[in-house]
Amino acid sequence: MAEVGVLLLNLGGPDKQEDVRPFLYNLFADPEIIRIPVPPLQKPLAWLISTLRAPKSRKNYQAIGGGSPLRAITNQQGRVLKKALAARGLDIEVYVGMRYWHPFTEEAVRKIKADGIRRLVLLPLYPQYSISTSGSSFKLLDQIWARDPSLKAIERITINSWYSRPGYIRAMGERVREGLDKFDNPDGVHILFSAHGVPRTYVDQDGDPYQRQTEETVDLVMQSLGRPNAHSLAYQSRVGPVEWLKPYTEDTINELAQKGVRSLLAVPVSFISEHIETLQEIEIEYREVAEAAGIHDFRRAKALNVNKTFIDDLAEMVIENLGVYSR
Amino acid sequence: MAEVGVLLLNLGGPDKQEDVRPFLYNLFADPEIIRIPVPPLQKPLAWLISTLRAPKSRKNYQAIGGGSPLRAITNQQGRVLKKALAARGLDIEVYVGMRYWHPFTEEAVRKIKADGIRRLVLLPLYPQYSISTSGSSFKLLDQIWARDPSLKAIERITINSWYSRPGYIRAMGERVREGLDKFDNPDGVHILFSAHGVPRTYVDQDGDPYQRQTEETVDLVMQSLGRPNAHSLAYQSRVGPVEWLKPYTEDTINELAQKGVRSLLAVPVSFISEHIETLQEIEIEYREVAEAAGIHDFRRAKALNVNKTFIDDLAEMVIENLGVYSR
């Protein structure tokens, strides 16, 4: 069983201030993130956009300690997952491969090859599939596999999405409950699920299942929560001029305020780890939007990080996908 | 996309009276079903057991029309699933491969090869994984693949279990609700989930996840149902002298009767299609047990068969496992 591995896939984030511009360059150089109609212009434009956005982005990372905590949290998730698998009798190595920053997916695959892994579970840390997240990592892995024929010996077991896993849903319910119970009147709180947005064309033209899976996730979490609270779903983090999935989180906060909502719990839904979108965008920017609109009782549910229910479910999911029950 | 296929895996059942003995022989010749400590004796003992059991088994099939409806229902599920995939823009061929009777898994693989399928989703029609069901079919497929090197060109995408799929859970909830609403006082009905049993050693010694997944299924269905009914889970269909998962369905019916239960809805939980275990064992045998114990108001929830919520969810599951969203 020491020949079995799990590769956790995630976005990656700049560790420190100097990383911000090159990280942004990697992000915008990916055609799955920003589609430049003229392919040869992708890299020059990525250079331009990353250079223009870097100062503001650096300031945002400065506000949360200088860099992204994503690497540390993901490494911790890997260690806890390895332990959860060991507790179930399985000796499985866990690797972390980021799409746009260290440890890069390429580095992870080099380790996987050196360790002699024969069966590899690809586990994106995105519960909902999107072309721009899991899809982009899978595409990169296909390219890495195509470049090195010796990798053919490794059986790849791909988990495309896991938005309806019972443990994930229960863990989300726990986080929402913890968040609600910090308010004076928990039942009177409006729950605002905020998911990372994607351009509308991904869903409408390219069949991205992201919106459908996100909506289903919210339904399941509300069902598992078993509380009477009103709730909404909105999409955050839009960049660029094209239309993204609507409603935008900022607009929804303003609308809810107009309708008289005064207590709001923001629940990050597509992010399972704290990073810039939860710590800075929700915690700082959307809090300001809420304050300005008259919602003074604004709180945020924590990301799952290493929540036990969640990590135990990841372990079960790995085992179920390996099918390693038999004698 | 015409090169993509789905192989539905199921047990199979005798089509007519003459098939009963050879079907039973195939069943008991499988060491995943009955473990004979001395392997060379497996086939002679399978012959003996099938010959001894055939008369009673033939009578049971006689009571439900002479043979098993499993083949017709599974073929229909395949046709409806193909349509559901087509409605989602995917031209995917659906095959049926039974473990112990026609159409045998070997026949299905011959067709798959002849049709030039390049990517094949293995979809066991068992929501919960067991060594004795999905595991046995996967083992057989490994043997078929090992015998014919040309099959290596076909990418196999294995779905090991899907007991927590939201559509499956919702569809089960629909069936339970339909069943309850036929009683005069739906809220006063006790719901008895009855799952196919397996020998206890499978779970205790061999790590079969079947019991855990079955319990989780029942929890999720009850949550989705949203009714106040009391419920129990028991295991049916035991054969042979060793201990199987407990409690046995028969014992639970008697206990419930002693506790004063007078209205009982039996819900087949590991069977998604009607066959001998639902039509004869629950509908006839357990009904008699219930009657004798004083439960005169005994009904059964229908198996899912081609329930729309269920088949649509199978289609979504196939698409998610193929990951065929991208441009």
Side-chain angles (χ1 to χ4, degrees), chain B residues 183-185 188-191 230 252-265 287 289-299:
Chain B
F183 288 84
D184 288 338
N185 174 19
V189 175
H190 190 98
I191 303 172
T252 298
I253 293 173
N254 281 317
E255 265 171 42
L256 290 170
Q258 273 173 6
K259 285 184 188 154
V261 168
R262 289 295 170 266
S263 303
L264 192 70
L265 178 69
R287 179 184 296 282
V289 173
E291 284 283 347
I295 300 176
H296 302 300
D297 207 2
F298 177 93
R299 291 171 192 271

Side-chain angles (χ1 to χ4, degrees), chain B residues 126-130 133-134 160-163 168 209-210 213-215 217 269-271:
Chain B
Y126 312 103
Q128 300 82 16
Y129 183 100
S130 170
T133 55
S134 307
N160 281 298
S161 57
W162 41 275
Y163 62 94
Y168 162 64
Y210 178 75
Q213 295 188 356
T214 301
E215 289 170 357
T217 302
V269 61
S270 38
F271 318 95

